[in-house]
Amino acid sequence: MIRSTILSLAAFILAGACSLLSSVSLAEASLPSATTNREPLQYVYAVDQSSVQLAPQSEKRAEQAVLLASQEYWFHASGRSLQKGVAISTSSPGALIRVSPLGGRALEPMTFDVIRSDGKVLSASEAFSLSATAEELQGVGLARANTVRLSQAAGTGVVSLRSQAVSNLQAQYRVHVKEKSSSPTLSMSVNQRAFSPGERLTANIEMFMPSKDKSNKRDSSKGVAQSSLPLDEVQGVLVSPLGNLKTVNVIRQSRAHYVVDLPMTVPNDVVPGKLWDLEIKAVSGEIRRNLRFSFAHFPTTAATNDHHLMLTEEGGLQARFSVAVSEPGRYEVRALLAGVNNDGQSMPIAIGHTAAWMEAPGGELALMFDHSLLKQSGLSPPYQLRGVELIDQSRLSKQSARQSY
Amino acid sequence: MTLSVILHFFSTFLRCLKTFVSALTSVLAAIQVVTSQKFALQKVVLQKATVIHWLWKGLLVSICISSPFVNANTGVAFVHGTGDSSDALNDYWTRDMVFSVTGGLPDTSKFVVVNCNFDEYAWSNEAGGCLARQISSFIERESISDLVVITHSYGGTVMRWILSNPTWDRRHPVIINATRSVTAIAPSSLGTPLADAVIDGNRFERVLGWILGYRSPAVELQQEDWMAHYNNTLFYGTAGRPALPVTFKSIVGTDVESSPFDSDSYCGGYAYQVALEVTQEWLDNCSDGFIECRSQAGAGTVWFYDVDRTRRREPLSHHQSRRPCFNLDVFLRNDL
């Protein structure tokens, strides 16, 4: 009788999860999997009660906006243009420049010279205050590139960097420039870091200049006043995990403010674990900046809409989660078990993980919390599961996280 | 059976003796320092020191008798950083470093130096799978019940993958259950801007970059945006996320020194220091030349910042932190 009741309850929950799943348009094609492990596994460990701050139970997990800043830019140059000299625009002294070959050998720093904006030619020893060869950088883990720092003598503004050692004029190089101190900063805020199909990516783009005028906007991270710079050109491109590029429409709000508003559809390019990139290039007068934002965009493959927590005959607790899936794969549920202390406060007891391979339309995942664990915590009922997360281990993507810890 | 009991007892006795001798040496060294500084107080200090010495001895014997680790079989695993390693003992850590640290083991043969392909994602079979296989084999082969894992750089991230994902692989719980602590030297817990700098998003490098050495999956994962995403989803131990199931304590390298006139700049190799001075330019003011301090301190707890403990308060560059420089090996040895 009890068993049949539990079975009907499970069927009911599964049906609910299935309907929830169908409402979020699941991926239809068979997707690649990062794991082939089909063994069901559970793991539970006690947590230090002071290590997790539990939020009020009703609090929904809020996606946090992401703030990005760049004082860098990069571009590609051919061997021919490097031989003639490529324009490097700097707004403060001491810019770092990294020249990497896209194939072939790296150019040695000592083969470069710099032509200043007033036409004076500086040798490498005059133009660079610091340099490292590709061989030296290889030793510490940076492959195939040199790095130099422009000296005070090189000045600021537009200078020309050229090398007489280019042997292949058709070769391609990436030139990467970074300015660290008090230079204009391209800033982008994005609404969140991970997107499901149906959600929108919205980004605000501005360029700021450190300002002495205290009435101007403040950079909260540094506490310095800054003023917006008008932008002459802003371009955006979306890069898929497979390297497919798509131009993004960047909308002008004002001379100094642009936005990106991207509807996120069901992705075609799915590589387990790999993220997408939104790349922004902005120009303000002679100032150039690039910025890259990596984000998760995986198909919806599973859903869980409820769980049940039952006392076992041994005095432990068993949690059961109904999971509806559209794609074969390994799925995991993680949750924090909380109890109540003498003051009536909800406190953490343990974190549990349970995973198994599932085929469509899904099934149930169970998680056992032993009696000894409950006793050891010194906490009392009512017990609750907090921060339940559903993970698609095959795609390495979090499918849902309904509540804060 | 009887023989094994006798051997176990003998091993425990030797360990207690070793601990006692080590502590006695420290006490005598302390007395020497005090007496050399304050000769006039030598007699008083020595009398006090004698009392401390016998109290200390008594305490040690008590600890030895009652310690839960007396019956533990302690082992240590060395986990290298980014790269496809086939001989990490010689190429990545050096024998001087490894044997200095393992000198602190009750049985100095109980160690493993992991060799895996850490050019791959932490979750890949070549990286996390290989690490799980090598450590779990070591645990099983040597019956290790008290494992200390020492990681460097990206090795800390791969280890954190195992600790955060116990249901990924049946070997993960075996490792978690046997591990006393992970000492993560200069871990790339929040990524590094240098990984961002070597990655470009164009199609050419997306497809071919791995051949050119720019865009290995490990470098890709260590970009700051990537680590921010995965720290918030599949990894534990960073701010706002659940704690890891075992202690994960980091040693943070704060600077790079490369003066040709300073002999300390030659520890580990002067050329590395020069290169790291340059890479440091891409980073915050506080970095070891490869990873910023905030990233190294971004998961678990900070055991110590280099200059707070090292000899002459010398900073440990990203290269020196895998070498026996400025007593680093001694701290690791004494922690076993």
Side-chain angles (χ1 to χ4, degrees):
Chain A
M1 174 67 183
I2 293 171
R3 192 177 168 192
S4 67
T5 309
I6 289 172
L7 282 174
S8 7
L9 188 65
F12 174 75
I13 292 165
L14 189 58
C18 282
S19 72
L20 179 74
L21 198 55
S22 62
S23 69
V24 288
S25 63
L26 292 172
E28 287 171 11
S30 185
L31 298 171
S33 174
T35 176
T36 53
N37 185 6
R38 297 192 174 232
E39 183 180 16
L41 284 170
Q42 284 189 41
Y43 191 76
V44 174
Y45 63 96
V47 292
D48 176 2
Q49 293 184 5
S50 62
S51 71
V52 184
Q53 293 289 321
L54 296 183
Q57 203 192 350
S58 57
E59 192 172 294
K60 294 275 182 190
R61 190 187 296 251
E63 288 284 358
Q64 293 210 323
V66 183
L67 291 173
L68 302 138
S70 167
Q71 294 175 312
E72 302 171 42
Y73 66 94
W74 53 83
F75 60 92
H76 283 193
S78 66
R80 187 183 302 279
S81 48
L82 258 177
Q83 194 181 53
K84 285 183 183 171
V86 292
I88 304 286
S89 167
T90 66
S91 56
S92 59
L96 290 164
I97 304 171
R98 188 167 180 270
V99 181
S100 324
L102 304 183
R105 291 179 58 189
L107 297 166
E108 294 303 317
M110 286 302 125
T111 69
F112 285 101
D113 56 25
V114 168
I115 306 164
R116 234 166 39 182
S117 51
D118 61 4
K120 185 175 181 186
V121 180
L122 303 176
S123 67
S125 58
E126 294 171 303
F128 307 140
S129 58
L130 198 64
S131 67
T133 64
E135 190 181 355
E136 286 169 332
L137 294 173
Q138 178 84 39
V140 295
L142 277 188
R144 307 164 65 87
N146 57 48
T147 294
V148 298
R149 183 176 66 195
L150 288 179
S151 65
Q152 292 282 344
T156 57
V158 180
V159 300
S160 182
L161 178 77
R162 68 181 183 188
S163 172
Q164 302 307 319
V166 177
S167 55
N168 179 0
L169 299 181
Q170 271 71 50
Q172 287 290 309
Y173 295 85
R174 184 178 65 218
V175 182
H176 193 136
V177 181
K178 176 163 183 162
E179 300 189 83
K180 275 177 95 172
S181 53
S182 289
S183 63
T185 301
L186 180 65
S187 163
M188 182 163 83
S189 66
V190 190
N191 54 330
Q192 57 199 52
R193 208 175 266 291
F195 299 89
S196 300
E199 293 186 320
R200 299 186 86 85
L201 183 158
T202 57
N204 288 278
I205 301 155
E206 290 174 278
M207 187 143 12
F208 293 108
M209 183 76 171
S211 164
K212 290 176 182 172
D213 181 356
K214 291 183 179 176
S215 64
N216 281 322
K217 195 186 273 190
R218 286 191 167 270
D219 174 356
S220 58
S221 64
K222 294 179 182 168
V224 292
Q226 49 189 12
S227 56
S228 296
L229 291 176
L231 293 166
D232 304 320
E233 181 190 344
V234 184
Q235 293 174 3
V237 63
L238 197 61
V239 188
S240 83
L242 290 174
N244 292 316
L245 307 183
K246 185 182 171 190
T247 303
V248 169
N249 186 24
V250 186
I251 306 153
R252 185 178 189 268
Q253 299 291 296
S254 69
R255 281 192 71 199
H257 180 204
Y258 284 71
V259 297
V260 169
D261 183 18
L262 275 179
M264 305 304 287
T265 54
V266 177
N268 291 322
D269 289 1
V270 178
V271 181
K274 260 187 178 280
L275 304 186
W276 291 62
D277 289 336
L278 172 62
E279 293 192 5
I280 298 294
K281 174 184 163 190
V283 178
S284 173
E286 288 183 349
I287 300 160
R288 305 169 65 175
R289 291 289 181 261
N290 291 52
L291 191 150
R292 186 172 56 240
F293 168 59
S294 301
F295 61 92
H297 178 42
F298 294 104
T300 305
T301 52
T304 177
N305 71 346
D306 209 351
H307 62 262
H308 278 260
L309 204 52
M310 293 165 281
L311 270 173
T312 64
E313 287 177 4
E314 294 79 24
L317 282 170
Q318 186 185 51
R320 302 182 83 84
F321 308 88
S322 289
V323 180
V325 307
S326 66
E327 277 291 321
R330 187 171 178 82
Y331 294 91
E332 180 194 54
V333 170
R334 306 174 166 194
L336 183 143
L337 179 70
V340 177
N341 68 10
N342 292 336
D343 299 330
Q345 289 176 307
S346 190
M347 302 295 284
I349 297 174
I351 287 174
H353 293 232
T354 174
W357 189 272
M358 288 182 169
E359 304 282 341
E364 197 173 64
L365 286 170
L367 189 55
M368 281 294 304
F369 296 94
D370 284 345
H371 172 65
S372 58
L373 197 69
L374 305 179
K375 194 176 172 188
Q376 192 186 335
S377 74
L379 300 174
S380 310
Y383 299 114
Q384 298 168 334
L385 287 177
R386 312 284 297 256
V388 177
E389 294 178 352
L390 175 62
I391 309 281
D392 177 350
Q393 289 188 331
S394 287
R395 264 61 61 176
L396 292 145
S397 68
K398 188 191 279 187
Q399 290 293 302
S400 67
R402 294 196 310 274
Q403 184 198 50
S404 298
Y405 287 106
Chain B
M1 175 69 184
T2 314
L3 182 65
S4 71
V5 169
I6 292 168
L7 281 174
H8 177 74
F9 180 79
F10 187 64
S11 144
T12 304
F13 172 73
L14 280 180
R15 186 170 181 221
C16 286
L17 189 66
K18 189 176 168 189
T19 313
F20 172 68
V21 169
S22 161
L24 184 61
T25 312
S26 306
V27 170
L28 291 175
I31 291 168
Q32 197 177 4
V33 170
V34 172
T35 51
S36 63
Q37 286 173 350
K38 293 271 181 189
F39 184 73
L41 293 174
Q42 186 178 13
K43 195 175 173 185
V44 178
V45 172
L46 273 174
Q47 281 171 349
K48 274 188 181 172
T50 308
V51 175
I52 292 168
H53 163 81
W54 287 109
L55 283 174
W56 184 240
K57 184 179 173 183
L59 180 67
L60 282 173
V61 171
S62 315
I63 290 169
C64 265
I65 290 167
S66 61
S67 168
F69 295 118
V70 163
N71 294 318
N73 194 11
T74 304
V76 61
F78 293 84
V79 183
H80 62 83
T82 308
D84 186 358
S85 182
S86 57
D87 185 12
L89 172 64
N90 292 300
D91 300 342
Y92 196 89
W93 294 101
T94 71
R95 286 170 178 267
D96 286 350
M97 176 70 162
V98 169
F99 294 143
S100 175
V101 174
T102 55
L105 285 168
D107 177 346
T108 55
S109 71
K110 305 277 187 187
F111 74 94
V112 63
V113 180
V114 164
N115 287 299
C116 289
N117 184 358
F118 285 178
D119 278 332
E120 294 296 330
Y121 293 124
W123 49 78
S124 71
N125 193 38
E126 295 83 359
C130 169
L131 180 59
R133 186 165 57 250
Q134 293 192 15
I135 294 189
S136 61
S137 298
F138 170 63
I139 290 169
E140 196 176 321
R141 186 175 64 246
E142 302 291 346
S143 304
I144 301 297
S145 57
D146 176 39
L147 178 69
V148 175
V149 183
I150 296 173
T151 68
H152 186 256
S153 191
Y154 181 56
T157 301
V158 183
M159 191 64 205
R160 201 154 58 86
W161 161 259
I162 289 177
L163 302 178
S164 305
N165 292 277
T167 61
W168 178 265
D169 183 317
R170 69 197 311 261
R171 294 169 295 202
H172 291 195
V174 173
I175 295 167
I176 294 169
N177 291 340
T179 301
R180 183 209 308 170
S181 64
V182 176
T183 300
I185 307 169
S188 53
S189 298
L190 306 183
T192 172
L194 285 175
D196 293 69
V198 300
I199 298 258
D200 202 348
N202 68 75
R203 183 183 173 83
F204 179 79
E205 289 185 29
R206 282 255 161 171
V207 178
L208 298 176
W210 65 274
I211 299 173
L212 304 176
Y214 293 120
R215 199 185 179 95
S216 75
V219 172
E220 201 165 48
L221 178 58
Q222 289 176 91
Q223 293 176 94
E224 290 184 299
D225 268 349
W226 279 56
M227 286 308 299
H229 169 70
Y230 281 109
N231 279 329
N232 199 34
T233 50
L234 298 180
F235 284 73
Y236 286 162
T238 52
R241 295 283 290 159
L244 290 159
V246 303
T247 301
F248 187 93
K249 53 185 186 181
S250 60
I251 297 174
V252 179
T254 60
D255 203 357
V256 182
E257 289 186 353
S258 66
S259 164
F261 308 109
D262 181 358
S263 61
D264 292 324
S265 299
Y266 292 81
C267 187
Y270 181 69
Y272 290 105
Q273 296 297 101
V274 173
L276 286 167
E277 280 271 19
V278 176
T279 54
Q280 191 182 31
E281 289 290 316
W282 292 87
L283 308 170
D284 273 354
N285 290 335
C286 185
S287 85
D288 67 355
F290 212 80
I291 299 171
E292 293 174 343
C293 299
R294 62 186 183 82
S295 177
Q296 298 176 57
T301 56
V302 173
W303 182 12
F304 63 88
Y305 287 84
D306 50 11
V307 292
D308 291 339
R309 295 266 186 109
T310 48
R311 181 162 48 80
R312 291 196 294 276
R313 297 178 61 80
E314 284 293 331
L316 289 161
S317 74
H318 201 65
H319 179 69
Q320 288 174 331
S321 59
R322 54 186 166 125
R323 295 284 184 270
C325 292
F326 321 127
N327 283 346
L328 173 63
D329 51 326
V330 178
F331 304 131
L332 296 172
R333 184 199 313 150
N334 291 341
D335 191 48
L336 295 181

